[in-house]
Amino acid sequence: MSRKDNRAELVQVSVRAFVAPPRIDHSVGADAMGRFQPLPGNGGITIGCHVGDPLPPYGVSDHLMPGASLEANPAAPGEVGAAHLLACVGNDVFDAAGRFVGLVVGKRGGLAPGF
């Protein structure tokens, strides 16, 4: 039995987003030896980490995200924009010149507080 869907009837919408700057999670306290251990947080482009990779054994991140973390407006990082609201896992991602650069592999509201 074949399944029917409405792919051909869907409207395409484009959104504009920017790579979010890397941020440090300052809420992490001291380790067992009393040393401050800042961990990579949201933002930036994670290199060498891919969807499906095992977690690193040394725990160097509070929540490592593969690929590029995007936000709608770099001037207002807390603003929930179209990139957060309309992007769906599996959507194609293109750069400003129209070149395919990847896929949306996940979503989370951490870059937009209160989302």
Side-chain angles (χ1 to χ4, degrees), residues 12-70:
Q12 290 187 0
V13 177
S14 63
V15 297
R16 185 169 114 173
F18 301 87
V19 174
R23 296 181 174 95
I24 299 293
D25 182 359
H26 295 290
S27 65
V28 177
D31 67 7
M33 301 297 289
R35 298 171 296 203
F36 177 66
Q37 294 288 319
L39 299 175
N42 295 318
I45 300 173
T46 304
I47 299 169
C49 171
H50 303 89
V51 173
D53 284 352
L55 292 173
Y58 39 84
V60 296
S61 178
D62 59 346
H63 47 274
L64 189 63
M65 290 184 243
S69 294
L70 304 177

Side-chain angles (χ1 to χ4, degrees), residues 92-111:
D92 292 338
V93 178
F94 299 90
D95 66 10
R99 297 175 297 230
F100 175 79
V101 294
L103 297 171
V104 174
V105 297
K107 278 181 71 168
R108 78 180 288 276
L111 293 172

